[in-house]
Amino acid sequence: MEIRNNTVVTEFILLGLTQSPDIQLLVFVLILIFYLIILPGNFLIIFTIRSDPGLSAPLYFFLGNLAFLDASYSFIVAPRMLVDFLSEKKVISYRGCITQLFFLHFLGGGEGLLLVVMAFDRYIAICRPLHYSTVMNPRACYALLLALWFGGFVHSIIQVALILRLPFCGCNQLDNFFCDIPQVIKLACTDIFMVELLMVFNSGLLTLLCFLGLLVSYAIILCHVHRSSSEGKSKALSTCTTHIIIIFLMFGPAIFIYTRPFRALPADKVVSFFHTVIFPLMNPVIYTLRNQEVKSSMRRLLSRYVVC
């Protein structure tokens, strides 16, 4: 991507999560532990789903893609944050900042849309079971997957296009531990009112609408399950509850960050830390603890390799 000639700032200084050496050490250890759990956990989910023929249903196909997105998302902020904790001066180039911002919203937007697709899958499976095999056939699943990747790309490229039009010629200190829209656009040497409005509309309103739509859809599903007397009632309730937990964990911080004017609040860094570092850990932990089929398959897979 080409950067405009009027950009004077060539790098940004990250002020980090905290200035306290003791807290920095504690956070460094916590992130390292989380990171060593995130990657194996998500890759184990992917490998289990791909190796077990019994987990071929669309639900597990999308779960595998959710684990892949989480694993990819964890590469955007956490590794650089670990390196920055060991550096006296935390600097990121302009191009590096834009690249980080792009992938943050590309993968984050794709994951949000994937949760919408998973809600649609559960709606058809529970409320229209006779049509499930017809509607959620393999071709439709791949089409939905392609659509959510494309949607994440469009969402992110709009953000980047708006950022690239801004001139940066003054202060280059970002009061955060990574590059994101709220901090970056405040450093622009121009009036950012319209850009901020467009950003809030693109990220904030879209996030809020997806969140509300997901809550309504799962409310409909849960009402249908509550009225049902089928044998799979407890399984359906467990699956929907798991999805709702993931929705709150993902969309809660995103709504806090992107649905308001970009003004600094004391809780911003803590919420951002949860959203970019802690949240990707939640997917493998929650799904392996609550999904009996995935847990059973993992036990068989691990016991097979341990015995070998």
Side-chain angles (χ1 to χ4, degrees), residues 61-62 117 135-151:
F61 170 75
F62 293 127
V117 170
V135 176
M136 299 303 295
N137 58 72
R139 185 175 180 179
C141 290
Y142 281 107
L144 288 170
L145 186 65
L146 181 63
L148 70 88
W149 278 101
F150 180 74

Side-chain angles (χ1 to χ4, degrees), residues 2 16-17 48 60 72 84 100 113 125 132 135 153 155 186 197 208 228 230 232 234 241-242 256 268-269 286-287:
E2 183 180 354
L17 184 64
T48 301
Y60 302 109
S72 302
D84 284 343
Q100 188 180 67
L113 293 174
Y132 185 72
V135 176
F153 176 80
H155 161 71
K186 286 190 292 187
L197 192 64
L208 185 60
S228 173
S230 63
S234 60
T241 303
T242 302
F256 177 83
D268 283 350
K269 289 185 181 182
I286 292 174
Y287 273 107

Side-chain angles (χ1 to χ4, degrees), residues 17-237:
L17 184 64
T18 176
Q19 300 301 315
S20 170
D22 293 335
I23 298 179
Q24 282 190 13
L25 179 61
L26 175 62
V27 174
F28 176 84
V29 174
L30 287 176
I31 294 175
L32 189 60
I33 294 172
F34 289 151
Y35 203 61
L36 293 176
I37 296 173
I38 289 170
L39 291 182
N42 281 299
F43 285 127
L44 180 60
I45 290 175
I46 297 169
F47 185 67
T48 301
I49 291 172
R50 290 185 64 86
S51 61
D52 190 343
L55 300 179
S56 58
L59 169 64
Y60 302 109
F61 170 75
F62 293 127
L63 174 57
N65 281 278
L66 182 63
F68 175 76
L69 281 169
D70 273 330
S72 302
Y73 194 82
S74 67
F75 277 109
I76 301 173
V77 175
R80 184 178 185 90
M81 192 177 179
L82 289 172
V83 173
D84 284 343
F85 274 128
L86 304 176
S87 306
E88 186 175 342
K89 191 176 182 182
K90 305 170 180 60
V91 176
I92 184 170
S93 68
Y94 179 84
R95 290 179 182 272
C97 183
I98 296 299
T99 302
Q100 188 180 67
L101 192 151
F102 170 79
F103 282 105
L104 189 73
H105 286 270
F106 175 41
L107 296 175
E111 187 161 348
L113 293 174
L114 178 56
L115 293 178
V116 174
V117 170
M118 292 176 75
F120 176 73
D121 171 75
R122 289 301 84 202
Y123 172 80
I124 298 297
I126 295 171
C127 300
R128 299 288 186 271
L130 298 179
H131 300 90
Y132 185 72
S133 58
T134 304
V135 176
M136 299 303 295
N137 58 72
R139 185 175 180 179
C141 290
Y142 281 107
L144 288 170
L145 186 65
L146 181 63
L148 70 88
W149 278 101
F150 180 74
F153 176 80
V154 171
H155 161 71
S156 185
I157 205 67
I158 291 173
Q159 312 276 55
V160 171
L162 291 172
I163 291 288
L164 289 176
R165 294 177 60 85
L166 296 174
F168 295 93
C169 52
C171 178
N172 67 338
Q173 290 187 339
L174 290 174
D175 189 19
N176 213 330
F177 54 92
F178 70 108
C179 283
D180 200 9
I181 295 167
Q183 290 78 35
V184 173
I185 69 169
K186 286 190 292 187
L187 300 182
C189 306
T190 185
D191 181 24
I192 61 169
F193 176 77
M194 285 305 300
V195 175
E196 187 175 355
L197 192 64
L198 290 171
M199 292 290 192
V200 170
F201 179 79
N202 183 36
S203 288
L205 185 60
L206 181 63
T207 301
L208 185 60
L209 289 177
C210 285
F211 176 71
L212 294 176
L214 285 167
L215 289 186
V216 170
S217 65
Y218 277 110
I220 295 172
I221 293 171
L222 290 174
C223 287
H224 183 87
V225 170
H226 184 70
R227 293 195 301 266
S228 173
S229 58
S230 63
E231 295 179 359
K233 182 175 180 179
S234 60
K235 180 183 175 181
L237 283 172

